[in-house]
Structure formats: C-alpha cells, structure tokens
Amino acid sequence: MRQIVIAIASVLIAATHAYAQGGDFTTGTPAADGKTNEGGVVFINPGTPVLRDNEINSQPVPRLPDGHVDLTGPWVGGGAIADIERDGGLKAGELPLLPWAKELRDTRKSQDDPYTACMPMGPLRTNPYPWKLVMSYTSKGLTHIFILHELMDDGVHRTVFMDGRKHPAGMIPSWVGHSIGRWDGDALVVDTVGFNDKFWFDRRGTPHTDQLHLVERYTRPNYGTLVNDVTLEDPGALAHPVTLQFKSRLMRPDRETGSGDLMEFVCNENNQYGSAGGFQPGTGAGNGANINNR
C-alpha cells in the first residue's frame, strides 16, 4: 500500500511544485503533513514502520548459526538521500570534492537524477523502502551475501562474494561494482571497486568517477540498529579519502507473520517521477513529452 500512495501522489505534487519539509527515512517517520521534500522533489512519505526508540535494546543482538552477528534486517534508511555530505555525518564543505566535481554538483538539477527515471541508485544511497542482507550458504559455508532493496529495478541488487576471491582484472564498469567481503570479528567488511560514473550519490548531484573505491564496515551495536562506517576513495573526484557513517533502523515486524519482509515494487510499471519530467521509458520520449498521451 505504501508504494501505491507514493506512486500516485508523487507526480501530482512534483508537477505543482508544492514544497513541504520533514519526514525521516532513517526512523521511518513521515512528515507532519505526510509530504517530504528531498532536493526539490516533493512526494508523499507515509513512512515504513520501524522499531521505536524504547524497542532498540528490547532484545539481544541475534546471531547466525555459524556464530556471526545476524545483519539481515530488513532495515530502513542507512544511506545518502538528498546530500551525501550531510547524510554521512560531515559538515558543509567537508566533502573534499575536486573543483570540477564541485562545479558539476552545483549545476545539476534533481529532476535530471538518473534515479528518478528508474535507473539504479548505486551504493550508499537509500529510499523510503526497506532493504536487507541475504546470506547464501553452501556445503562450503557462507559464500555470498546479497543486498536487496524493495525498490527492485532502481535499487538493483549487490552481490558480496564471501568465498575468499579477489577482484578480477579487467572489470567492466557497472552501477554497483564488484564487492568482496570478509568478517572482522562481529563486523562485516565489504570492499567494492569497478564502478561506472553514471549514478549520482544523492539528489544534490554529487558525482564520482570510475576510480571510486568503497570500503564499508557493517556492525550491529544493538537489536534495532545497523551502522555502516564507510571509507570513500576516488582520486578522480576527491582530493583525499573521506570517512562517512550511516545508520539504519530495524523494520518493525509484521503483526501477523512476526517478521519483516520486502514487497514487490517495480519502478518502471508506474514511473511517476519519470512521467512528471516527461520521461516514458521504452518509448524514446524525453523531456517535453505529453505524459497524457500514453
């Protein structure tokens, strides 16, 4: 239901340029008037229910059968939304963008964000919908971790190889790169390279290059929180590496099933953000197309 509400309302609100403040993806808290303004794109945010503050430490941190901390989730928030600098815990101006990258960011407009046209959002970015880590075991133990987002096509999925392999030579640049992972005590460390330069880090338009290198460190300090400490390195766009931190909140379990589950949401089936900008995927129509002639 939350997807239907957002899809129907987003085109109407964005088209009329209504503005409202509030809403918090990290806690799943909607704005007082039910609308959220992120980078000039305004939409209905009913909020995904998450654990309340008094429930964060209500249970011990669960563990997997192999003894490692259970990081599966589903989680809400935990990434960049409107501004990776702010959302990652930095002060204004602390993200060490090179002059060309800062100039490009400052000239970009949120309505040109590839994500709003149902293209993948890339890593370190989130949306109002839950996501989770899925552990894949074989007779050899944990071999893969899949990072899945409810917004299926936009969110794409990341594969973290846990079988000890290295990054391959001659990688083809991709939206989510090539990820290898390992356990460091109770922390999951994910090393990712091999990105293209197409996705935006946020709605502000923060860019990167194909030299991007991410090292993420996922920890679960309590029952209801997932922390991702990230080292961001990109000599093509940043003057030096920088450390960011994102926090997610555990999705509140369903009353009937006792667990939290992802729903199916295919962006291209009802691409209201794209329609608001005149985009019609698969038809070749771009800005200026009549969205009523469909």
Side-chain angles (χ1 to χ4, degrees), residues 3-4 7-8 10 115-119 150-154 263-275 279-282 294:
Q3 294 92 336
I4 296 174
I8 293 174
S10 59
Y115 174 56
T116 64
C118 292
M119 300 303 291
E150 184 170 294
L151 188 54
M152 300 167 69
D153 44 358
D154 267 20
M263 297 170 61
E264 178 180 290
F265 182 18
V266 180
C267 175
N268 273 315
E269 284 189 329
N270 192 14
N271 180 20
Q272 298 293 349
Y273 281 142
S275 296
F279 293 98
Q280 299 180 41
R294 295 195 297 163

Side-chain angles (χ1 to χ4, degrees), residues 11 46 57-58 85 91 109 111 121 126 185 235 243 248 277:
V11 62
N57 291 293
S58 61
E85 185 174 60
K91 297 178 181 178
K109 298 179 179 179
Q111 59 264 38
M121 62 183 175
T126 190
T243 300
S248 308

